[in-house]
Amino acid sequence: MEHVPALDEDLKKTLGPATAKVLAEQLGLHTALDLLHHYPRRYAERGELTSLAELADQIDEHVTVVAQVADARVLTFNGGRGKRLEVTITDGSGRLQLVFFGAGVHKPHKELLPGSRAMFAGKVSRFNHKLQLAHPAYEPLGADASDRDAATAFANQLIPIYPACAKLESWKIAKCVDAVLPSAQEAVDPLPPALREGRGLVPLTEALLKIHRPATKADIEDARQRLKWDEAFVLQVALARRRHADAQLPAVPRRPAPGGLLDAFDAKLPFTLTEGQQKVSKEIFDDLATSHPMHRLLQGEVGSGKTMVALRAMLAVVDSGGQAAMLAPTEVLAQQHHRSVVEMMGELAEGGMLGGSDQGTKVVLLTGSMGMPARRQALLDLVTGEAGIVIGTHALIEDKVQFHDLGLVVVDEQHRFGVEQRDALRSKGKQPPHLLVMTATPIPRTVAMTVFGDLETSVLDQLPAGRSPIATHVVPAKDKPHFLARAWERVREEVEKGHQAYVVCPRIGDGEDDPKNAKKKAAAADDPDKRPPLAVLEVAEQLARGPLAGLSVEVLHGRMDPADKDDVMRRFTAGEVKVLVATTVIEVGVNVPNSTVMVIMDADRFGVSQLHQLRGRVGRGSAPGLCLLVSEMHEASPARARLAAVAATLDGFELSRIDLEQRREGDVLGQAQSGVRSSLRMLAVIEDEEVIAQAREEATRVVAEDPALERLPGLRTALDALLDTEREQYLEKG
């Protein structure tokens, strides 16, 4: 009896060390189970049976024909070193030539004898005015006319095309899969039988056989539906268990004191909160009042007032005697948040200081580049409880940072942080603190359920009163250079009205510009695809000397000294700097209401969501905003279509959907949820919205009934495999 490899058996035993090495190194496949989950990307069809008379209309099509060999001859060329086999076939309606080259001539020369019949499948081409099939696949047939049935079966066979690599073609991978396919019988089914039957899904072993060796297109559909459910369900169970475990943790309920800090803050607000802000604040305050930790994702459009909602939550926690920490991804953003929180709170942010309010608290900043004395003071204020609110970067996660009583962690722009980073900060509480995660990148519902499935979600989709609309236009710099000249005139007009402008470039410049680059630049001057992206330092210099001469133009980028960055931002906020030429460091959180115009150079080099984020920096005051997307790409290019989509709508959710449809799934999930990237092979988070939503419901129910999954060993096994990957990635990153 032939050997059936065990699912966890190393592929070396089944396929030999050389093939196993390529599969492991190039495709990350180590065991029989890995290979069974390496699904075909698509399926080729040999094509319906075709008569030779019809082939003239089918150049470049894949066809299958049944015919008789009329003659076959071997020709030599290249001084006798090369061999070519030419076979002429006929089916009574026409004639066709087959050609085989090199070592590939021997087998067909022996098998395709004049008078024999066979099925032939290949791509029709024309050579020297004659139709031909080069190196066709063929299956010899007996003389019996009933072989027509065999011919039809051969023609309709679906050929799996696998994700392959240079060292191992798809058809070789198919042979490897054949070797491990018998072990699919041993696969443990992770779906509870009632769920599988209720949803009409085929058993796992059947799905694996059908995905690799389908007889019909319906087989492929059955298998895909089933395998998508596996991925969605196992992932949602992992997230449901995390939510369930978090709900068992104790937390200190944090309720704002009547007449305390929050009431004092609300009383001095010069505006009323939007309905959306009030609704989301209520959800957050209800969570904070419970005795298990809040885990909430707050997503809101650019400028929807998330920071205000987060600040009120932090004040509620300080009111109840706790501390709140806000984690920001960059120093520029941390400084900006600190500045705006202190401004919004006024004397309430000066607790314990001269002129400070009795109800106030101290608001401190903690970043990696702070001087030692300031850093020491901030650490002291945190450990004594003097500071109720701290805003900082990754520096907050360091071991030496200790809190008096950490009650709430607010993570801004969650997609920049992994799960383990937010967990590291949460571990600094005496009891698990409440967690609020904020993002201005609108996330379609399914991605929120997949990437942030351990969090409840609140959405702020209303803009505060007084916010102005932003008009967006594409500036085709190459086709219409006068449009770019007009763009700089618009910047000048806005500055003359007393407003300010951003110019965004994809690159910093300077050290990157060595003599080699100069050659590249010269060679690529006519091709926007090949030239380096425009750089902040060069563009700022050209603008200051040319179209914006006489205006105060300054630069901001990540390589600047933190003190210089802060100085430029402070002067821009104060209105002293009129035009800020920057990289994407201004993408999130920077709030200068007087800025009304943004010009994005080489806009095609940015993603859709990133462009939407960037333009959210203008139109933050009462004057209307203008965003100009400059591109040298051709009008018919996909890049220009992307820019047109951004110009056509201000709906971030619609744009994030377009963005995700244009990118690979792996990029979508990024590193936000460790381990997910490697586990999604069949599931597409945008297309499979319904499957993910249903899987989340089923997973929540299953975990509520049986948190340890004692009655579902198959599911527990699948979960362990997923979490192993997660832990492995966690260790790599740690």
Side-chain angles (χ1 to χ4, degrees):
M1 198 178 118
E2 66 173 299
H3 168 67
V4 175
L7 288 172
D8 57 356
E9 190 171 288
D10 194 300
L11 289 171
K12 277 189 203 124
K13 285 190 185 170
T14 320
L15 306 174
T19 305
K21 186 173 185 233
V22 175
L23 286 169
E25 287 177 1
Q26 303 288 316
L27 298 167
L29 307 173
H30 303 275
T31 65
L33 187 62
D34 291 344
L35 192 48
L36 287 174
H37 286 303
H38 186 70
Y39 307 131
R41 179 181 285 139
R42 60 188 177 84
Y43 301 84
E45 292 180 75
R46 289 200 163 111
E48 298 298 309
L49 283 177
T50 309
S51 75
L52 297 185
E54 296 166 15
L55 293 185
D57 302 329
Q58 304 204 28
I59 300 292
D60 285 342
E61 295 287 322
H62 281 273
V63 298
T64 301
V65 296
V66 172
Q68 191 167 25
V69 177
D71 65 61
R73 59 209 173 115
V74 174
L75 306 171
T76 58
F77 56 92
N78 215 355
R81 288 197 298 277
K83 282 186 180 177
R84 180 168 84 243
L85 171 65
E86 287 184 359
V87 179
T88 307
I89 58 171
T90 176
D91 68 349
S93 73
R95 293 168 82 81
L96 176 68
Q97 191 169 62
L98 317 177
V99 290
F100 300 87
F101 294 98
V105 306
H106 304 302
K107 187 168 179 276
H109 193 209
K110 272 193 258 170
E111 293 179 341
L112 299 176
L113 301 171
S116 62
R117 290 177 73 250
M119 289 179 279
F120 303 93
K123 189 171 167 181
V124 184
S125 59
R126 198 186 289 278
F127 182 71
N128 280 345
H129 309 296
K130 280 188 187 169
L131 294 178
Q132 70 169 27
L133 298 183
H135 278 286
Y138 65 90
E139 188 91 349
L141 295 171
D144 189 349
S146 70
D147 282 335
R148 178 89 194 169
D149 296 341
T152 306
F154 173 84
N156 292 334
Q157 188 183 343
L158 293 157
I159 304 161
I161 308 294
Y162 287 92
C165 59
K167 293 183 180 172
L168 213 58
E169 299 90 341
S170 169
W171 62 271
K172 286 185 183 163
I173 293 175
K175 284 194 165 162
C176 296
V177 170
D178 281 338
V180 300
L181 210 46
S183 62
Q185 301 298 336
E186 309 298 314
V188 182
D189 201 321
L191 294 191
L195 188 160
R196 197 187 78 232
E197 285 152 24
R199 300 261 168 202
L201 299 167
V202 300
L204 178 59
T205 50
E206 190 182 322
L208 289 170
L209 293 171
K210 281 181 168 176
I211 199 75
H212 290 292
R213 298 295 171 261
T216 63
K217 287 183 178 172
D219 282 355
I220 299 171
E221 195 41 46
D222 285 352
R224 280 194 166 142
Q225 273 310 103
R226 164 61 216 243
L227 296 166
K228 279 178 179 184
W229 253 94
D230 278 16
E231 288 180 7
F233 182 68
V234 172
L235 179 58
Q236 291 301 336
V237 166
L239 294 166
R241 288 185 80 195
R242 190 181 278 166
R243 288 196 301 276
H244 184 270
D246 284 340
Q248 310 310 307
L249 294 171
V252 178
R254 307 285 181 173
R255 296 183 186 86
L261 183 56
L262 180 63
D263 285 351
F265 176 75
D266 284 350
K268 63 195 274 305
L269 276 183
F271 52 82
T272 44
L273 298 175
T274 65
E275 265 176 52
Q277 285 174 318
Q278 288 173 16
K279 176 177 150 287
V280 169
S281 288
K282 183 181 183 314
E283 290 170 355
I284 291 171
F285 288 157
D286 288 350
D287 282 359
L288 288 174
T290 61
S291 54
H292 58 83
M294 164 172 83
H295 290 93
R296 192 165 281 281
L297 170 68
L298 170 57
Q299 49 172 328
E301 273 291 11
V302 176
S304 56
K306 292 182 302 299
T307 312
M308 172 60 70
V309 169
L311 176 55
R312 292 182 73 247
M314 294 198 286
L315 295 174
V317 168
V318 175
D319 248 356
S320 71
Q323 291 169 293
M326 183 188 259
L327 181 63
T330 64
E331 293 212 349
V332 166
L333 188 50
Q335 288 161 345
Q336 178 77 30
H337 275 319
H338 181 253
R339 200 180 294 120
S340 59
V341 163
V342 168
E343 274 168 22
M344 284 194 271
M345 286 176 64
E347 77 276 8
L348 295 174
E350 295 165 1
M353 293 188 254
L354 276 175
S357 161
D358 294 343
Q359 290 163 314
T361 187
K362 218 174 194 184
V363 179
V364 298
L365 176 69
L366 188 64
T367 65
S369 66
M370 281 169 71
M372 218 41 229
R375 189 180 172 78
R376 225 177 264 125
Q377 185 59 51
L379 292 172
L380 185 64
D381 289 341
L382 287 178
V383 78
T384 59
E386 189 82 9
I389 295 176
V390 59
I391 296 165
T393 54
H394 289 79
L396 283 175
I397 298 171
E398 291 170 11
D399 289 345
K400 53 172 139 345
V401 180
Q402 300 294 323
F403 289 85
H404 177 65
D405 179 15
L406 181 60
L408 170 67
V409 172
V410 178
V411 181
D412 193 21
E413 288 309 317
Q414 158 67 24
H415 63 283
R416 311 283 184 93
F417 297 103
V419 170
E420 63 272 16
Q421 288 169 308
R422 71 185 197 210
D423 285 350
L425 184 51
R426 281 167 57 197
S427 67
K428 292 181 176 293
K430 293 183 177 123
Q431 280 198 327
H434 299 279
L435 174 72
L436 178 65
V437 164
M438 299 198 297
T439 179
T441 307
I443 304 165
R445 175 169 156 261
T446 45
V447 182
M449 284 190 289
T450 312
V451 181
F452 304 109
D454 57 332
L455 305 170
E456 300 302 325
T457 305
S458 296
V459 178
L460 262 183
D461 48 12
Q462 217 181 350
L463 291 187
R467 274 296 161 85
S468 304
I470 304 167
T472 308
H473 302 286
V474 178
V475 178
K478 202 167 177 67
D479 311 345
K480 299 178 178 166
H482 59 286
F483 275 38
L484 183 57
R486 177 69 190 120
W488 300 128
E489 282 172 21
R490 285 291 290 114
V491 170
R492 198 174 264 287
E493 285 163 16
E494 287 298 309
V495 171
E496 281 163 5
K497 284 185 202 163
H499 298 306
Q500 290 158 274
Y502 295 101
V503 178
V504 180
C505 302
R507 199 168 58 97
I508 297 171
D510 178 18
E512 303 153 315
D513 299 337
D514 60 22
K516 278 187 232 157
N517 270 353
K519 277 185 201 161
K520 269 194 220 157
K521 267 191 204 167
D526 295 331
D527 187 348
D529 265 339
K530 287 187 185 153
R531 69 160 168 75
L534 291 171
V536 166
L537 299 174
E538 293 163 23
V539 169
E541 195 180 326
Q542 287 161 10
L543 291 177
R545 283 205 317 260
L548 302 184
L551 303 183
S552 58
V553 176
E554 299 239 5
V555 301
L556 182 71
H557 58 76
R559 284 212 308 260
M560 287 165 66
D561 180 82
D564 294 342
K565 270 193 279 197
D566 199 36
D567 176 57
V568 170
M569 262 328 290
R570 192 183 47 71
R571 288 186 296 114
F572 185 64
T573 308
E576 295 164 27
V577 173
K578 298 302 179 191
V579 180
L580 188 62
V581 184
T583 55
T584 53
V585 290
I586 60 151
E587 182 185 344
V588 282
V590 173
N591 183 25
V592 180
N594 193 40
S595 303
T596 54
V597 60
M598 174 177 283
V599 182
I600 303 179
M601 307 302 291
D602 280 346
D604 46 87
R605 310 246 182 181
F606 299 97
V608 169
S609 292
Q610 199 173 26
L611 290 169
H612 182 59
Q613 286 288 308
L614 285 164
R615 84 170 149 195
R617 302 301 109 213
V618 296
R620 297 175 80 84
S622 52
L626 173 65
C627 179
L628 301 174
L629 306 172
V630 180
S631 172
E632 292 189 1
M633 298 307 275
H634 190 270
E635 193 170 359
S637 64
R640 279 284 290 277
R642 254 194 358 255
L643 298 183
V646 176
T649 180
L650 288 170
D651 180 344
F653 286 93
E654 174 58 27
L655 287 173
S656 68
R657 205 174 184 88
I658 292 168
D659 199 14
L660 296 182
E661 280 164 3
Q662 291 176 344
R663 283 160 37 191
R664 296 193 336 275
E665 291 298 323
D667 300 339
V668 171
L669 300 172
Q671 293 300 327
Q673 190 72 51
S674 311
V676 172
R677 175 190 294 257
S678 55
S679 64
L680 295 195
R681 295 182 177 92
M682 189 60 77
L683 197 67
V685 285
I686 289 293
E687 289 160 35
D688 299 319
E689 183 159 345
E690 214 170 291
V691 173
I692 293 169
Q694 291 169 359
R696 181 177 167 113
E697 271 174 40
E698 294 276 14
T700 307
R701 188 180 53 71
V702 164
V703 170
E705 288 170 11
D706 181 9
L709 306 179
E710 282 166 3
R711 298 191 292 280
L712 299 166
L715 177 55
R716 217 167 51 232
T717 306
L719 205 59
D720 288 344
L722 175 75
L723 296 178
D724 267 355
T725 316
E726 218 176 286
R727 273 198 292 274
E728 196 179 296
Q729 293 204 350
Y730 179 94
L731 292 171
E732 275 173 23
K733 279 195 278 182

